[in-house]
């Protein structure tokens, strides 16, 4: 015990020293003044890894090390690590190469690994090619990607992800679906892939008669080469160090404990890279491996009496990994993936053949591309099955199981882990019974939650709904229905969420699609809205927007053969028995300062209610709307209840006088749960409350449906 305590203290000390050294090195004093004053500096820098896509925008980033910079009139040698951002032209640079350009610098928060953020103001000039080893790896990756084929783009993209960690060809829709069913770890290289590669080479050498030193040498070389090939991802680093420790132990004749090897790998990596302590991928890798080592064997023994051995092992592996990862998973998602267990049981056996065939394709792609293409095509068959599993299970209802969030959720998840450990590992009967009791209580509570959600789900949406504010997270999407006709105003950010909302509402045709402006949280989910649905006509903001979101939107609408009309103030029409009118912007949005200011604002008049959809228009735009008294001074506006779709997710940028004048009876706020913007703000909530308006928020209660009953508004929310 004393030795263990001393080891932990020594590791903490070494990790602390490592953090101080690395933190200081990434923020050299010579560069700090330029960074914090957002200066432009000509610098020479080395590319440390492959550029990756940042979110859904046409934006990429990579880690760099500044080697020298022109500071204070002279060339200063540095070794400062930071983050380089840019558009898709960044993909043309190669890992390990040295470039020079005029960098626009900006600071990062103090606790982050990068010491600065930068963008090239001028085109990067190649100064030095990558070292021979890095060049070989780059050529192997390029040859593999060139020879990559498959049953479809997602299947071949998944092969690339599992083989070499290249996820650029995996569609956003597949990534969303795999996240929904807890298969995200299969979209890229994980520790399991590393173990498969090591086993391939280890047993190949053994089969060829190689001795233990030959197996050790080839195994370690294979590990190093694979890490270089796929990049130093946290889960791969953990698996490589752990596998290397076990391999060395076996080779020198010592039966090292797998848990000890895991602990050693964690200590070594946290000392070498203290920032891994904040990395969710690293934490999930360590926890999943811990679960496999602690729970798999005893759980298999319990299940063998009821299931065939192969099924008992498969169930045990999936359950053990999922259980130990619960506390971290709940920090990344709002609930538990209902179909995680069947998804992993069906998908996991397919990972090994994809990885083996993908690695073999990598080996031969450089000099025999035809064979590589054949291997990746066969690998894509298994990948296609994973894709279909993810899509099918993600399309099922109730794909997320409600679970407490925040600290309460993490504590409940920790109790689940302790319950399993006590049940399966504890010797005294009382401790085992305690574990069983804890699991029984949590299971009963979860079962009750599921039952309640199913009952609520059967009652939602109301049959006579007229307006629904879909829960699309931090974004906007409103559905209006009249006489069997449907209007959809904005589509949120994610395809899956808007598609799910429209499926729940039974919407298979959109007669009027309104895209108020081209911010991603309003148009990013367009593919999901169009999926399997006809669209009559689309109204769009006339604001000249050259961002990727706007151009991609017009391309999607064009491919779907949807008629597109830019709006202007005064445009009007009918949706069934509802008359709609565009209140802003003016023609060509000449008065607008930005995209939000050019948002399409519309008034919808029905017999039993009025609806004002404000998009993201801010205070200045609302003041312009208020100048036209013809619409807000109309007595018909007060004759029936007014529903207000509050502007900009309830931000503080509101014109209070207008809201007080229109005096909404019901206010709908679409915002993401625990969003980083602080929406809705207390100022706007107080303003709405002062009018006596009833306030309903998607971040609190999910999707909201509104119906009318003899002049009275009825509200119901979706189960969640």
């Amino acid at each position: 015990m004393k030795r263990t305590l001393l080891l932990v203290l020594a590791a903490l000390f070494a990790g602390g020293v490592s953090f101080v050294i690395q933190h200081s090195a990434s923020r050299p004093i010579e560069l700090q003044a330029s960074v914090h004053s957002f200066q432009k500096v000509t610098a020479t820098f080395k590319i440390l890894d492959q550029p990756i896509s940042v979110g859904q925008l046409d934006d990429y980033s990579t880690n760099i090390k500044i080697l020298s910079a022109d500071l204070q009139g002279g060339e200063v040698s540095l070794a400062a690590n930071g983050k380089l951002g840019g558009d898709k032209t960044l993909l043309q640079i190669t890992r390990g190469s040295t470039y020079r350009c005029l960098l626009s610098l900006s600071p990062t928060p103090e606790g982050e690994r990068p010491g600065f953020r930068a963008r090239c103001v001028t085109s990067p000039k190649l100064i030095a090619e990558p070292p021979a080893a890095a060049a070989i790896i780059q050529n192997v990756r390029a040859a593999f990607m060139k020879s990559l084929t498959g049953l479809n783009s997602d299947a071949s993209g998944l092969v690339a992800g599992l083989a070499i960690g290249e996820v650029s060809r995996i569609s956003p829709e597949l990534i969303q679906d795999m996240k929904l069913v807890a298969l995200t770890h299969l979209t890229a290289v994980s520790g399991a892939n590393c173990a498969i590669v090591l086993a391939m080479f280890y047993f190949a050498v053994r089969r060829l008669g190689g001795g233990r030193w030959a197996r050790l040498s080839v195994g370690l070389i294979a590990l190093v080469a694979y890490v270089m090939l796929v990049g130093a991802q946290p889960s791969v680093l953990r698996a490589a160090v752990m596998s290397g420790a076990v391999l060395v132990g076996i080779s020198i004749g010592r039966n090292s404990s797998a848990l000890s090897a895991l602990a050693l790998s964690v200590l070594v990596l946290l000392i070498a890279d203290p920032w891994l302590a904040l990395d969710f991928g690293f934490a999930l890798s360590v926890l999943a491996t811990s679960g496999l080592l602690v729970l798999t064997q005893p759980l298999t023994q319990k299940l063998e009496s009821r299931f065939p051995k192969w099924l008992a092992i498969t169930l045990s592996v999936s359950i053990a990994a999922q259980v130990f990862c619960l506390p971290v998973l709940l920090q990344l998602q709002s609930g538990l993936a209902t179909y995680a267990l069947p998804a992993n049981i069906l998908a996991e056996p397919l990972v090994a053949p994809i990885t083996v065939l993908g690695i073999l394709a990598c080996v031969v792609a450089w000099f025999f591309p035809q064979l590589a293409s054949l291997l990746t095509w066969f690998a894509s068959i298994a990948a296609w099955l994973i894709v279909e599993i993810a899509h099918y299970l993600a399309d099922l209802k109730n794909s997320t199981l409600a679970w407490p969030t925040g600290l309460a959720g993490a504590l409940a998840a920790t109790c689940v882990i302790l319950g399993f450990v006590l049940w399966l590992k504890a010797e005294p009967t009382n401790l085992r019974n305690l574990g069983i009791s804890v699991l029984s209580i949590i299971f009963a509570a979860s079962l009750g939650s599921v039952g309640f959600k199913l009952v609520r789900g059967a009652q939602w949406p109301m049959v006579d709904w007229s307006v629904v504010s879909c829960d699309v997270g931090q974004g906007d999407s409103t559905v209006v229905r009249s006489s069997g006709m449907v209007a959809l105003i904005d589509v949120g950010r994610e395809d899956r969420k808007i598609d799910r909302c429209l499926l729940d509402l039974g919407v298979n045709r959109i007669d009027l699609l309104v895209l108020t402006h081209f911010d991603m949280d309003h148009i990013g989910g367009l593919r999901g809205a169009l999926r399997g649905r006809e669209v009559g006509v689309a109204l769009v903001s006339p604001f000249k927007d050259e961002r990727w979101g706007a151009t991609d939107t017009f391309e999607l609408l064009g491919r779907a053969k949807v008629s597109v009309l830019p709006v202007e103030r005064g445009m009007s029409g009918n949706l069934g028995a509802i008359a709609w009118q565009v209140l802003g912007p003016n023609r060509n949005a000449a008065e607008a300062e930005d995209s939000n200011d050019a948002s399409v604002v519309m008034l919808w008049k029905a017999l039993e209610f009025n609806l004002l959809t404000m998009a993201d228009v801010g205070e200045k735009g609302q003041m312009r709307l208020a100048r036209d008294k013809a619409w807000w001074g109309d007595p018909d506006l007060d004759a029936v209840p007014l529903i207000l779709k509050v502007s900009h997710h309830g931000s503080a940028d509101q014109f209070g006088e207008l809201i007080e004048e229109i005096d909404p009876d019901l206010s709908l706020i679409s915002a993401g749960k625990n969003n980083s913007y602080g929406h809705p703000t207390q100022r706007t909530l107080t303003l709405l409350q002062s009018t006596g308006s009833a306030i309903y928020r998607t971040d609190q209660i999910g999707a909201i449906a509104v119906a009318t009953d003899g002049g009275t508004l009825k509200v119901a929310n979706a189960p969640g």
Side-chain angles (χ1 to χ4, degrees):
M1 182 65 183
K2 187 176 181 180
R3 291 175 59 186
T4 302
L5 180 60
L6 289 174
L7 177 63
V8 172
L9 291 175
L12 288 173
F13 176 77
V17 171
S18 175
F19 173 77
V20 171
I21 293 173
Q22 294 185 46
H23 188 272
S24 300
S26 65
R27 294 167 169 82
I29 296 175
E30 299 90 340
L31 195 65
Q32 287 304 287
S34 299
V35 170
H36 287 284
S37 57
F38 297 86
Q39 291 181 5
K40 294 180 176 64
V41 173
T42 300
T44 301
F45 54 90
K46 184 175 182 179
I47 305 298
L48 301 181
D49 51 29
Q50 284 296 120
I52 60 172
S53 175
V54 182
Q56 290 182 302
L57 298 176
D58 190 14
D59 201 13
Y60 297 83
S61 71
T62 184
N63 292 305
I64 63 171
K65 176 182 285 186
I66 291 183
L67 305 177
S68 64
D70 293 339
L71 300 172
Q72 298 174 350
E75 187 83 1
V76 179
S77 295
L78 300 168
N81 291 333
K83 186 78 73 175
L84 176 69
D87 58 21
K88 60 183 177 183
T89 59
L90 202 63
L91 295 175
Q92 299 173 5
I93 66 176
T94 55
R95 181 173 61 183
S97 300
T98 302
Y99 292 86
R100 186 174 180 84
C101 76
L102 179 64
L103 289 175
S104 175
L105 302 175
S106 60
T108 58
E110 191 64 24
E112 284 193 7
R113 184 203 309 258
F116 59 87
R117 297 190 185 279
R119 297 182 81 91
C120 276
V121 178
T122 58
S123 298
K125 180 182 179 182
L126 180 64
I127 302 299
E129 296 285 353
I136 291 173
I137 292 295
Q138 187 66 28
N139 289 334
V140 169
R141 288 179 63 96
F144 173 83
M145 295 302 295
K146 188 175 180 179
S147 63
L148 183 65
T149 60
L151 293 180
N152 57 38
S153 58
D154 271 339
S156 60
L158 194 56
V159 172
L162 285 169
I164 63 171
E166 177 58 61
V167 298
S168 61
R169 297 196 185 182
I170 302 177
S171 69
E173 293 83 4
L174 178 58
I175 291 175
Q176 290 176 20
D177 284 356
M178 294 190 78
K179 180 180 179 181
L180 204 60
V181 296
L183 290 178
T184 303
H185 59 289
L186 300 186
T187 58
V189 173
S190 66
N193 303 83
C194 196
I196 292 169
V197 171
L198 175 61
M200 281 175 58
F201 287 92
Y202 183 87
F203 288 113
V205 174
R206 185 175 181 179
R207 186 75 174 174
L208 294 172
R212 64 177 180 174
W213 296 114
R215 295 195 296 269
L216 174 62
S217 301
V218 172
L220 291 178
I221 291 172
L223 281 175
V224 172
Y226 191 60
V227 172
M228 291 179 65
L229 177 67
V230 303
Q233 303 172 34
S235 60
V236 177
L237 286 174
R238 192 276 311 158
V241 175
M242 180 180 174
S243 300
V246 172
L247 189 59
V248 170
I250 293 174
S251 300
I252 63 178
R254 298 188 62 178
N255 294 323
S256 56
S257 164
L259 274 175
S260 298
L262 175 62
L264 176 63
S265 68
V266 172
L267 287 177
V268 169
L269 289 172
L270 288 180
I271 291 172
D273 186 359
W275 279 277
L276 286 175
L278 304 177
D279 189 282
F280 284 115
F282 182 74
L284 289 171
S285 176
V286 172
L287 288 172
T289 306
S290 302
L292 295 176
L293 297 176
V294 173
L295 296 184
T296 300
Q297 184 178 0
L299 191 55
T300 300
Q301 293 173 352
K302 292 281 188 183
L303 296 177
E304 276 184 330
S305 61
R306 298 180 180 274
F307 301 100
K309 186 172 183 178
W310 67 269
L311 182 56
I313 294 174
T314 305
L315 285 168
S316 299
V317 167
S318 183
I319 292 173
Q322 292 287 327
V323 165
F324 264 64
C325 288
L326 274 182
V328 175
L329 287 174
L330 289 170
Q331 310 310 310
L332 302 174
Q333 55 197 42
S334 58
L336 305 181
T338 308
Y339 307 113
L341 191 58
N344 279 274
I345 290 173
L346 293 170
E348 286 294 348
L350 302 170
V351 174
I354 296 172
T355 304
V356 172
L357 291 173
I359 293 301
L360 291 176
C362 273
V363 172
V364 303
W366 203 350
F367 55 87
F368 200 165
Q370 295 84 358
L371 178 58
S373 294
L374 185 63
L375 290 171
T376 57
W377 189 89
F378 277 112
S380 76
I381 297 174
W384 174 80
L385 291 173
I386 294 178
V387 171
E388 292 302 306
I389 290 167
H391 285 326
Y392 176 78
L393 293 177
D395 281 337
L396 297 178
K397 284 192 174 185
N398 302 306
S399 57
T400 302
L401 173 65
W403 190 273
T405 57
L407 180 60
L411 290 175
T414 304
C415 288
V416 171
I417 296 175
L418 293 175
F420 267 97
V421 171
L422 291 175
W423 171 42
L424 297 172
K425 303 285 287 187
E427 290 298 330
T429 303
N430 289 339
L431 286 178
R432 286 201 302 272
N433 290 339
L434 176 61
I436 294 172
S437 299
V438 170
L439 291 176
S440 299
I441 293 171
I442 294 176
F443 176 76
S446 299
L447 190 62
S449 173
V450 171
F452 176 74
K453 185 176 179 180
L454 290 175
V455 172
R456 286 285 309 279
Q459 300 172 346
W460 194 92
M462 299 174 290
V463 176
D464 56 345
W465 66 270
S466 295
V467 179
V468 170
S469 184
C470 291
D471 181 10
V472 291
Q474 183 62 20
D476 259 8
S477 184
T478 305
V479 186
V480 183
R481 183 179 68 171
S482 175
S483 304
M485 300 184 71
V486 171
L488 175 62
I489 308 159
D490 289 329
V491 293
R493 181 181 293 272
E494 298 179 25
D495 299 335
R496 167 59 52 193
K497 290 185 176 181
I498 182 59
D499 187 30
R500 182 76 266 167
C501 183
L502 294 176
L503 285 172
D504 289 343
L505 297 175
V507 174
N508 51 34
R509 174 178 168 81
I510 301 168
D511 298 281
L512 182 64
L513 173 64
V514 182
L515 300 176
T516 61
H517 61 301
F518 297 103
D519 285 1
M520 290 303 296
D521 59 337
H522 289 252
I523 51 89
L526 183 57
R527 287 181 180 85
L530 296 177
R531 186 180 297 156
R533 298 180 182 89
E534 297 180 1
V535 177
V537 64
L539 304 182
V540 300
S541 170
F543 184 72
K544 186 177 181 181
D545 198 327
E546 297 179 352
R547 290 178 296 172
W548 174 87
T551 56
D552 190 58
T553 294
F554 287 114
E555 287 180 9
L556 286 174
L557 293 174
R559 287 200 297 267
K561 295 181 172 54
V562 178
S563 298
V564 178
L565 295 176
V567 304
E568 61 180 82
R569 186 168 65 92
M571 186 180 289
S572 61
N574 292 284
L575 180 81
I578 296 179
W580 56 263
Q581 176 187 358
V582 175
L583 302 180
N586 293 320
R587 177 175 295 185
N588 298 325
E591 76 282 13
E593 297 180 356
D594 54 29
S595 179
N596 283 353
D597 200 26
S599 293
V600 178
V601 179
M602 298 179 70
L603 179 62
W604 308 72
K605 290 186 175 182
L607 291 176
E608 294 187 321
F609 71 91
N610 292 321
L611 168 67
L612 178 61
T613 54
M614 298 281 279
D616 275 4
V617 68
E619 183 176 20
K620 288 184 179 180
Q622 293 177 30
M623 292 175 71
R624 287 196 301 271
L625 292 173
R627 295 190 193 119
D628 182 8
K629 190 177 180 180
W631 70 270
W632 60 261
D634 186 349
D636 290 342
L637 197 66
D638 296 324
V640 291
L642 173 64
I643 304 169
L644 171 66
K645 201 296 295 180
V646 180
S647 174
H648 206 182
H649 325 293
S651 76
D653 192 19
Q654 312 287 339
F655 182 42
E657 286 85 343
L658 176 62
I659 293 177
E660 290 171 354
E661 189 64 44
I662 63 176
D663 190 20
D665 296 272
L666 189 152
S667 298
L668 301 176
I669 300 178
S670 180
K673 191 172 186 178
N674 301 319
N675 67 85
S676 59
Y677 303 96
H679 294 161
T681 62
Q682 189 56 52
R683 175 185 182 275
T684 298
L685 293 174
T686 301
L687 174 62
L688 294 170
Q689 289 166 354
S690 69
T691 67
S693 176
I695 303 171
Y696 291 88
R697 301 164 45 179
T698 60
D699 62 321
Q700 291 184 337
I701 61 176
I704 305 160
V706 183
T708 57
D709 183 12
T712 302
L713 298 177
K714 300 186 300 180
V715 180
N717 67 289

